[in-house]
Amino acid sequence: MAANGSIDYLARDGRAYITINRPDKKNAMTNAMLDQLMDGYDRAEADDDVRVVVLQGAGDDFTTGHDLAEVGTEYGETTLDAKGRPRKPSQRARLLHDKRYIERFERVFKFLKPTLSLVKGYCLGGGLYLAEASDLVIAADTAKMGHPEQKLGLSGAAYFAAWEMMALGPRKARELLLLAQVWDAQTCLANGLVNKVVPLADLQEAGEEWAERIVRLPRDGIVMGKAATNLAMDSLGISSQFAYGPILHALATNVRYEADEYNFMKERRDKGVRSSNHEREAFYDKKEQE
């Protein structure tokens, strides 16, 4: 494993195992790791012997999504005007970045072969998008899934909002996003975020059982079945989320914070990622208790 994490790839017995490997950071992914992840899917799609991709995380967690240390600077460093005052990133810079960012999840969503995510521990933010983009999800009983990043001020501007409304229903999808709750495994199962829940000790075995069922299918049948699925998603309008997602996210990241609101970006700048993240959670927990 590289010092800043890695994406490990192993092809064997008709399967491509892609492992997010940064357990000391709960498998939080940098932009470099996200690019490596796409390389893994490219390799699997090009390999005719691979019939299914199994996505998993090293250690105790799936992934907590995009590394918060990179959040807030993804649109480039702040520039100064002629008088030395800071300028916000342009909308064109925001849209360009968000378009490239969502294309990674769209790549998984429209992958030409079946995909299976094995979720344990934390599966948050961009990690949840990866699970939602997968065809099948088996969760361990330790799984904790949600969009706590909504507390950064996004308030429901999610890349997979259309898919979540289809899978969970509009009411539960809005609950998941607006309340920024993290659901346990059984709540995820009850609301359609995962296919099944198994004890942690049985997660790999359960994944192998389903992978084996898939690899016994004919290669052409597998690919044509996935192509038909993608057409169905298009006909339902679900795939439109990849067109409007970058626009809404770019707007949502340009929110103005008022004096009584928690500004994660400002607090992170002044106090660092760990402290500001804890303070963010404490701020919302306090509000819930009042």
Side-chain angles (χ1 to χ4, degrees), residues 14-254:
R15 305 141 166 84
Y17 298 94
I18 300 179
T19 304
I20 305 167
N21 192 355
R22 199 187 181 195
D24 57 316
K25 297 292 186 180
K26 297 186 182 299
N27 294 324
M29 292 177 290
T30 63
N31 272 310
M33 290 176 67
L34 286 164
D35 286 339
Q36 292 174 33
L37 183 65
M38 295 303 99
D39 290 341
Y41 279 88
D42 287 344
R43 289 179 64 182
E45 200 165 68
D47 187 343
D48 196 46
D49 287 333
V50 169
R51 271 94 93 193
V52 61
V53 167
V54 180
L55 180 64
Q56 57 195 350
D60 298 327
D61 301 287
F62 186 65
T63 169
T64 52
H66 196 177
D67 188 344
L68 286 177
E70 291 188 346
V71 173
T73 60
E74 64 268 38
Y75 299 126
E77 297 298 327
T78 301
T79 58
L80 302 178
D81 64 14
K83 296 183 178 180
R85 296 172 300 193
R87 301 183 68 198
K88 287 186 176 182
S90 66
Q91 290 289 34
R92 58 188 180 276
R94 293 172 184 273
L95 277 172
L96 179 60
H97 174 273
D98 284 343
K99 177 178 178 293
R100 289 174 174 171
Y101 188 70
I102 197 174
E103 283 173 349
R104 294 157 168 159
F105 302 112
E106 184 179 15
R107 175 78 177 96
V108 179
F109 190 76
K110 295 182 176 180
F111 192 69
L112 289 182
K113 300 176 183 180
T115 53
L116 167 63
S117 283
L118 303 182
V119 173
K120 57 186 174 181
Y122 284 113
C123 173
L124 308 176
L128 182 51
Y129 291 147
L130 288 175
E132 290 173 337
S134 300
D135 294 303
L136 302 168
V137 179
I138 301 177
D141 51 12
T142 61
K144 300 178 182 67
M145 306 173 74
H147 284 301
E149 78 279 7
Q150 292 294 323
K151 296 175 183 176
L152 300 181
L154 304 181
S155 304
Y159 289 134
F160 270 68
W163 184 94
E164 289 169 350
M165 288 182 186
M166 177 193 70
L168 282 67
R171 297 290 186 197
K172 297 304 290 189
R174 296 303 291 157
E175 177 184 332
L176 178 68
L177 291 169
L178 281 177
L179 301 186
Q181 295 173 326
V182 176
W183 290 351
D184 62 25
Q186 290 301 328
T187 302
C188 292
L189 178 64
N191 287 287
L193 271 182
V194 303
N195 293 92
K196 66 185 296 188
V197 174
V198 300
L200 176 61
D202 298 336
L203 183 60
Q204 292 299 129
E205 181 180 352
E208 287 300 310
E209 180 183 346
W210 279 21
E212 181 60 27
R213 286 176 174 269
I214 294 170
V215 299
R216 290 177 181 272
L217 297 169
R219 290 173 173 80
D220 275 355
I222 286 172
V223 171
M224 294 311 298
K226 190 59 185 287
T229 297
N230 291 338
L231 285 173
M233 290 292 183
D234 287 342
S235 69
L236 291 169
I238 305 302
S239 299
S240 65
Q241 65 191 8
F242 301 116
Y244 67 70
I247 298 172
L248 295 181
H249 192 270
L251 290 172
T253 55
N254 198 29

